[in-house]
Amino acid sequence: CGRGECVFQPVPGLLSAAGQGIWVWRRVECRVVSVLRTCSYHSYAAGDARMFRWFAPKSRTPRTTKPGRDTTSSSQWTALSVQQTAQLLKSDPCQGLRDDQLAARRLESGSNTLASRPERSAFKIARDQFKSVIVVLLVVAAVLAYLMKDVVEGNFILIVVLLNAVIGFCTELKARQALLNLQGRETRVCEVIREGKSQPLAAIDLVPGDLVGLSAGNRIPADGRIVEGYGLQIDESSMTGESAAVEKDSGVLAKIEPTLSEMSNMGFMGTFVNSGHGRMLVTETGANTQLGRLGKLIDEASKRPSPMTRKIRQLGNILVIIVVVLCAIMIVAGWLRGVPGVQMLQVAISLA
């Protein structure tokens, strides 16, 4: 029942044969629900999709990538020399891009911003916490308990519902705040070299192939290949979790698949230049950066339930159906035996 009791205590005045029969049925019902729950978990663990096919993982259609420009990964840029990188980006490591190249690249790569989806209001987030079938069943049980003047049981059920809603609400707010923090790491203005001339530029207008100047105190506006560095040290704690700044240079890495912390010739969007100065050829912008990919993961995690959550919801729906059916059987059985309807309704609420 809702209070975790497994043995029904007969109310006074219900010691007749009908009352004892309901008491026995209550014990049998508790045992059946317990066995079904145990069997469900064990059958899913054993992969028995024939008996419990609703637990079987559904096949998913593999995702296909959309055709577009060559999205070379960061690990591939590290294995290229500065000249090879410039040739692949069709840029100049000393002069930067020409003005006649900008329009086509901006059209191809889009703006240098992190993708964002429309935010849900706090009211909508709170409202969504009450869409679960189990929550609806508990709310109905609480209303019936109040109508039966069972205030203690009604209060207990409402406390459980509100606690569940508060936990879900806080979890979603934290996920949304994490995404907003990532978007706040975007750089607003940076120094860019185009046709050999250094000029300030809004970071949103950067395109792959741009030559960006880096100096102490700057936030890196995009992912890029370091083409020169003089005592250049970058704080990448927001990306790798390492507290110590990483020294950067223009050398070629021999390792085929280095981790982010090992990419000593790459700069990443949202990280800080601690000391030194240098230059960087932009390789990725916006959602294609490492910061953009991290934002996508957080966004997907916040709006898509995990496999465990889906399984729990499925199990919850099954248990709700079982409880409703058993409540109906008990009410009908009690009515046929002449038990007062009020007492049977109290039993049904306790079961819910």
Side-chain angles (χ1 to χ4, degrees):
C1 68
R3 298 177 181 174
E5 301 171 352
C6 292
V7 179
F8 171 71
Q9 301 295 335
V11 297
L14 203 61
L15 299 178
S16 61
Q20 293 299 326
I22 295 175
W23 176 70
V24 173
W25 170 256
R26 171 60 174 160
R27 298 193 61 182
V28 172
E29 175 269 332
C30 284
R31 180 66 61 184
V32 169
V33 172
S34 177
V35 171
L36 283 175
R37 185 186 296 116
T38 304
C39 291
S40 298
Y41 279 118
H42 285 286
S43 298
Y44 173 65
D48 188 1
R50 294 172 299 175
M51 183 175 180
F52 296 93
R53 59 182 180 277
W54 48 82
F55 288 111
K58 299 179 180 179
S59 59
R60 297 181 178 272
T61 304
R63 297 181 179 179
T64 57
T65 56
K66 297 181 179 180
R69 69 183 185 87
D70 180 24
T71 56
T72 307
S73 65
S74 299
S75 60
Q76 292 174 311
W77 292 114
T78 60
L80 301 177
S81 66
V82 173
Q83 292 299 329
Q84 290 173 330
T85 303
Q87 290 177 3
L88 189 60
L89 293 171
K90 298 180 181 179
S91 182
D92 191 302
C94 298
Q95 302 294 319
L97 292 175
R98 303 188 308 273
D99 290 340
D100 58 359
Q101 296 177 291
L102 300 179
R105 297 198 178 210
R106 189 172 292 112
L107 182 63
E108 185 179 8
S109 63
S111 60
N112 182 32
T113 56
L114 297 180
S116 61
R117 59 180 176 134
E119 295 182 9
R120 290 189 303 163
S121 64
F123 172 76
K124 290 184 178 180
I125 295 178
R127 182 194 62 187
D128 291 343
Q129 307 307 315
F130 297 92
K131 289 184 175 180
S132 171
V133 178
I134 295 181
V135 172
V136 173
L137 178 64
L138 291 176
V139 171
V140 172
V143 172
L144 292 176
Y146 284 125
L147 292 178
M148 303 301 300
K149 298 182 180 181
D150 191 350
V151 179
V152 175
E153 185 159 359
N155 290 339
F156 179 82
I157 296 175
L158 283 185
I159 290 174
V160 173
V161 173
L162 292 178
L163 183 61
N164 174 75
V166 169
I167 294 175
F169 179 79
C170 294
T171 302
E172 290 202 30
L173 278 186
K174 287 183 179 180
R176 187 177 70 173
Q177 187 61 40
L179 185 59
L180 292 177
N181 290 340
L182 287 179
Q183 294 175 349
R185 292 183 176 274
E186 297 177 272
T187 309
R188 299 183 182 275
V189 180
C190 61
E191 176 192 358
V192 65
I193 297 92
R194 288 177 176 173
E195 294 188 340
K197 299 178 182 179
S198 178
Q199 54 184 311
L201 181 74
I204 193 175
D205 294 327
L206 282 178
V207 295
D210 264 328
L211 184 61
V212 177
L214 305 176
S215 58
N218 290 159
R219 190 196 295 267
I220 298 182
D223 287 4
R225 173 69 161 82
I226 305 295
V227 297
E228 61 179 41
Y230 302 97
L232 185 62
Q233 291 189 344
I234 298 179
D235 179 7
E236 297 180 344
S237 57
S238 60
M239 299 294 297
T240 63
E242 296 187 7
S243 58
V246 181
E247 186 172 354
K248 300 288 184 176
D249 56 48
S250 59
V252 178
L253 295 185
K255 192 171 182 179
I256 299 178
E257 291 291 340
T259 62
L260 290 180
S261 59
E262 296 173 337
M263 297 182 185
S264 59
N265 56 6
M266 295 291 296
F268 301 108
M269 182 181 190
T271 57
F272 284 95
V273 179
N274 273 8
S275 60
H277 63 279
R279 291 183 175 184
M280 176 187 79
L281 276 175
V282 175
T283 56
E284 300 290 351
T285 59
N288 293 322
T289 62
Q290 294 294 335
L291 187 63
R293 295 173 185 174
L294 181 59
K296 288 180 182 177
L297 292 177
I298 295 177
D299 189 26
E300 291 177 359
S302 63
K303 66 183 180 181
R304 186 180 61 184
S306 64
M308 177 63 71
T309 302
R310 291 196 296 268
K311 302 305 178 185
I312 292 176
R313 287 180 181 176
Q314 291 172 354
L315 178 60
N317 293 337
I318 295 171
L319 293 179
V320 166
I321 294 174
I322 294 175
V323 169
V324 170
V325 171
L326 292 178
C327 284
I329 293 175
M330 291 180 64
I331 292 175
V332 172
W335 178 71
L336 293 176
R337 292 175 178 269
V339 180
V342 175
Q343 294 177 351
M344 292 308 305
L345 191 57
Q346 288 177 341
V347 173
I349 294 174
S350 178
L351 175 60

